[in-house]
Amino acid sequence: MELLYRSTRSTQEAVTASKAILKGLSDDGGLFVPEKIPALGCSLKELADMSYQEAAYEVMKQYLTDFTEEELKDCIAKAYDEKFDTDVIAPMAEVERTYYLELFHGKTIAFKDMALSILPHLMITSAKKNHVEKEIVILTATSGDTGKAALAGFADVPGTRIIVFYPKNGVSPIQEKQMVTQKGDNTLVVGIHGNFDDAQTGVKKLFGDRELAERMAEKGFQFSSANSINIGRLVPQIVYYVYAYAKLLKEEQIAEGEKINVVVPTGNFGNILAAFYAKNMGLPIAKLICASNENKVLYDFFSTGCYDRNREFVLTTSPSMDILISSNLERLIYRLTGEDYAKNAELMRQLQENGVYHISEEMKKELEDFYGNFATEEESASQIKKIYEDTGYVMDTHTAVASAVYEKYKKDTGDMTKTVIASTASPFKFTRSVMCAIDSKYENMEDFKLVDELSRISNVPVPAAIEEIRTAPVRHQCQCGKEEMKKVVEDFLGL
Ligand SMILES: *Cc1c(COP(=O)(O)O)cnc(C)c1O
């Protein structure tokens, strides 16, 4: 049976999965949601014996119903291969009776790789299926992690080009080095003189530029988006929750049907939404624990039912969670309204115009699957130090937020249900913050010295992603003012 996708904001015609992947966002500004969340097609016992790739097929085929078996298996095989530094793709580390699901074994050592290594293949397959002959141009603004993961995913994928804009002085030195050393003739990386919001606004403008779109079409190009609201990113993220449960079952850590909790360090609400979808597919998950850093919009929302972005933006040591508008939350809100697109559209209008909305008491009741809390900078840092000193395990700053929030959850509720924490980045990606959390003596050590020191104290080899940039030549030196972004795109495409 074919599963179609609808917008969260109107009754526009439902589209196939491949069309939703190509479009990214619905024309009315809403997000695509499946008409119904499908059930798992096989038992957890059967899943327990599957490889990551096999489990990925079982989960994704329920959503991408207009892909043939061959097409989907081909996308999966191309994505989850030697690019990952372990055959199991998403291994789990047991630390103090809690399971850290490590989602950072891909090319750029952050969890964005889990979806961005398959998205390019889903996208070109979707283009073929819909007879799109044009070359697809991915346009992205990044505050660090997404840009590199998208570059790595799309580099040298035939039929695509990718342009990434980042704030020249707004990303970490390692993040910048990762991007400007990117290989691939179809890639372009540009530092803009402005902040992340300027980059984001500029990209949105380009997406909406009709005149540019027409000239691009004449030359055989069309824009597409690798943004985290694309269902081509959401669906692959459901896989690892199912896989993690199946592995716990296989290793007899849990009994069949036993419920587990899941803790997710959250920014745009994509990763935790995938866990919510997994639960609704029938995966035995009890609580979905949403962990925020000091940008605690979501914690406030879960406690009061009021979403309010009107507040100061805090720069933290977990920058990928420094977000005041969690775009993917709209999919949950839509569900809380009982899939009432008009109600949802009205709330999103209030968010757009006033930066705030309130949900009804009735909707609030539906939130009981979730628990929200936040961790301060000090709490996260001391969690890194404590876990390292007690166990030798070193986690990154984002995972530390989740781990610290989980401690609060246990204190609050006394709930000792077995728990999986989504570990979203390698500590090597945020070496300086991690090492300084462990000991202030590292404050004056040089970046790559710190990397070696981290490897020594954690007993983990330096990941290839970091070794590469030590010596890799800079390939991208393009910079521009925020008014010049269009010109840069035109030059790259030869318009
Ligand atoms: C993107 C990111 C997050 C937040 O994930 P969302 O899906 O946006 O909630 C957390 N940690 C890291 C390291 C990330 O890169």
Side-chain angles (χ1 to χ4, degrees):
M1 225 191 40
E2 175 127 275
L3 182 65
L4 295 177
Y5 291 78
R6 285 193 177 285
S7 165
T8 50
R9 295 196 195 172
S10 75
T11 49
Q12 281 198 348
E13 199 189 344
V15 299
T16 57
S18 63
K19 281 219 171 85
I21 289 171
L22 281 173
K23 285 183 74 85
L25 203 66
S26 170
D27 291 332
D28 56 30
L31 312 195
F32 287 113
V33 281
E35 287 189 306
K36 182 170 162 282
I37 295 181
L40 282 170
C42 60
S43 73
L44 295 164
K45 254 214 165 86
E46 286 170 283
L47 280 157
D49 288 319
M50 289 186 194
S51 66
Y52 191 88
Q53 294 81 353
E54 289 165 339
Y57 176 69
E58 284 305 319
V59 172
M60 292 179 68
K61 77 172 184 192
Q62 305 294 341
Y63 287 90
L64 309 184
T65 53
D66 68 328
F67 283 60
T68 65
E69 175 171 352
E70 194 192 346
E71 284 168 343
L72 187 52
K73 285 190 169 162
D74 183 53
C75 290
I76 290 169
K78 283 180 173 146
Y80 304 112
D81 60 7
E82 315 75 61
K83 287 192 288 298
F84 286 76
D85 67 9
T86 158
D87 295 343
V88 299
I89 308 296
M92 257 184 296
E94 187 182 346
V95 182
E96 296 190 325
R97 293 181 303 286
T98 303
Y99 305 94
Y100 286 78
L101 175 61
E102 297 185 349
L103 304 174
F104 55 76
H105 288 269
K107 252 197 147 154
T108 75
I109 59 175
F111 108 95
K112 303 287 190 295
D113 289 327
M114 299 305 294
L116 280 165
S117 36
I118 194 165
L119 181 71
H121 304 292
L122 297 176
M123 210 170 249
I124 52 174
T125 308
S126 298
K128 267 187 217 136
K129 301 180 78 61
N130 291 283
H131 311 291
V132 172
E133 312 271 325
K134 297 193 188 76
E135 204 169 324
I136 291 174
V137 181
I138 299 291
L139 196 59
T140 308
T142 185
S143 56
D145 284 346
T146 305
K148 178 60 187 184
L151 284 162
F154 281 92
D156 289 326
V157 173
T160 71
R161 297 207 194 185
I162 173 160
I163 307 173
V164 171
F165 290 99
Y166 71 95
K168 179 74 187 120
N169 298 315
V171 300
S172 82
I174 288 191
Q175 284 176 321
E176 178 170 43
K177 189 100 199 267
Q178 275 191 310
M179 287 193 280
V180 298
T181 53
Q182 179 64 47
K183 293 184 199 144
D185 289 337
N186 63 337
T187 64
L188 179 68
V189 178
V190 188
I192 72 151
H193 306 144
N195 59 26
F196 172 65
D197 274 339
D198 297 324
Q200 179 98 313
T201 307
V203 162
K204 277 195 186 143
K205 238 194 226 159
L206 292 173
F207 270 121
D209 189 330
R210 295 292 269 283
E211 180 268 336
L212 179 63
E214 272 169 33
R215 274 193 296 131
M216 282 176 59
E218 278 167 27
K219 295 267 179 159
F221 295 111
Q222 81 177 47
F223 278 140
S224 196
S225 161
N227 198 299
S228 86
I229 47 90
N230 195 310
I231 62 135
R233 279 185 63 182
L234 182 61
V235 171
Q237 292 177 179
I238 301 169
V239 174
Y240 44 76
Y241 291 107
V242 174
Y243 180 71
Y245 188 95
K247 284 301 148 233
L248 289 176
L249 187 59
K250 185 175 173 73
E251 287 159 17
E252 298 181 349
Q253 303 283 336
I254 53 173
E256 198 174 356
E258 182 176 339
K259 286 194 173 173
I260 60 167
N261 292 331
V262 171
V263 191
V264 186
T266 297
N268 228 345
F269 209 76
N271 200 1
I272 194 165
L273 185 78
F276 176 74
Y277 274 45
K279 177 177 164 99
N280 283 280
M281 290 181 84
L283 195 69
I285 294 178
K287 280 285 179 208
L288 296 154
I289 300 170
C290 177
S292 302
N293 65 22
E294 289 179 9
N295 294 291
K296 58 183 184 60
V297 194
L298 287 166
Y299 164 66
D300 292 341
F301 171 69
F302 285 122
S303 22
T304 64
C306 171
Y307 193 96
D308 186 358
R309 64 144 301 173
N310 300 312
R311 61 180 73 205
E312 208 171 316
F313 180 84
V314 188
L315 279 174
T316 73
T317 51
S318 42
S320 303
M321 297 160 66
D322 290 344
I323 285 177
L324 292 181
I325 297 192
S326 301
S327 323
N328 269 297
L329 184 68
E330 179 170 349
R331 288 190 167 105
L332 178 65
I333 299 293
Y334 175 71
R335 243 184 113 83
L336 299 179
T337 62
E339 313 211 325
D340 182 334
Y341 65 86
K343 243 189 211 164
N344 176 65
E346 171 54 22
L347 293 173
M348 294 306 130
R349 190 192 61 75
Q350 291 172 14
L351 179 63
Q352 170 98 32
E353 284 174 14
N354 313 319
V356 54
Y357 61 80
H358 298 263
I359 61 169
S360 65
E361 279 306 312
E362 209 182 7
M363 283 169 71
K364 225 183 134 189
K365 267 194 220 113
E366 299 288 314
L367 277 177
E368 59 190 20
D369 287 345
F370 289 89
Y371 167 94
N373 214 324
F374 72 102
T376 63
E377 288 291 275
E378 294 74 40
E379 287 166 339
S380 312
S382 54
Q383 186 70 3
I384 293 176
K385 184 178 167 77
K386 177 180 167 293
I387 296 285
Y388 168 66
E389 286 175 351
D390 293 352
T391 70
Y393 188 71
V394 180
M395 65 179 86
D396 100 288
T397 47
H398 301 75
T399 309
V401 170
S403 185
V405 163
Y406 180 52
E407 294 300 325
K408 290 188 181 178
Y409 172 79
K410 282 189 290 188
K411 244 193 214 136
D412 263 12
T413 62
D415 180 12
M416 294 306 285
T417 302
K418 296 208 175 90
T419 294
V420 169
I421 294 182
S423 176
T424 51
S426 159
F428 286 92
K429 192 148 191 174
F430 299 94
T431 317
R432 179 162 299 281
S433 305
V434 167
M435 293 302 276
C436 291
I438 290 174
D439 195 324
S440 58
K441 76 178 180 201
Y442 292 120
E443 264 159 27
N444 297 315
M445 204 181 260
E446 178 267 323
D447 279 329
F448 280 104
K449 267 230 172 73
L450 273 179
V451 163
D452 293 329
E453 185 67 5
L454 171 55
S455 172
R456 192 185 66 77
I457 67 159
S458 62
N459 220 356
V460 173
V462 177
I466 299 290
E467 279 304 348
E468 272 167 21
I469 60 169
R470 245 189 239 260
T471 52
V474 171
R475 295 190 67 256
H476 301 271
Q477 288 176 316
C478 182
Q479 291 183 28
C480 76
K482 54 190 181 192
E483 306 304 331
E484 298 166 317
M485 291 168 65
K486 184 169 176 178
K487 174 92 179 42
V488 166
V489 170
E490 289 169 342
D491 288 350
F492 181 59
L493 300 179
L495 301 183

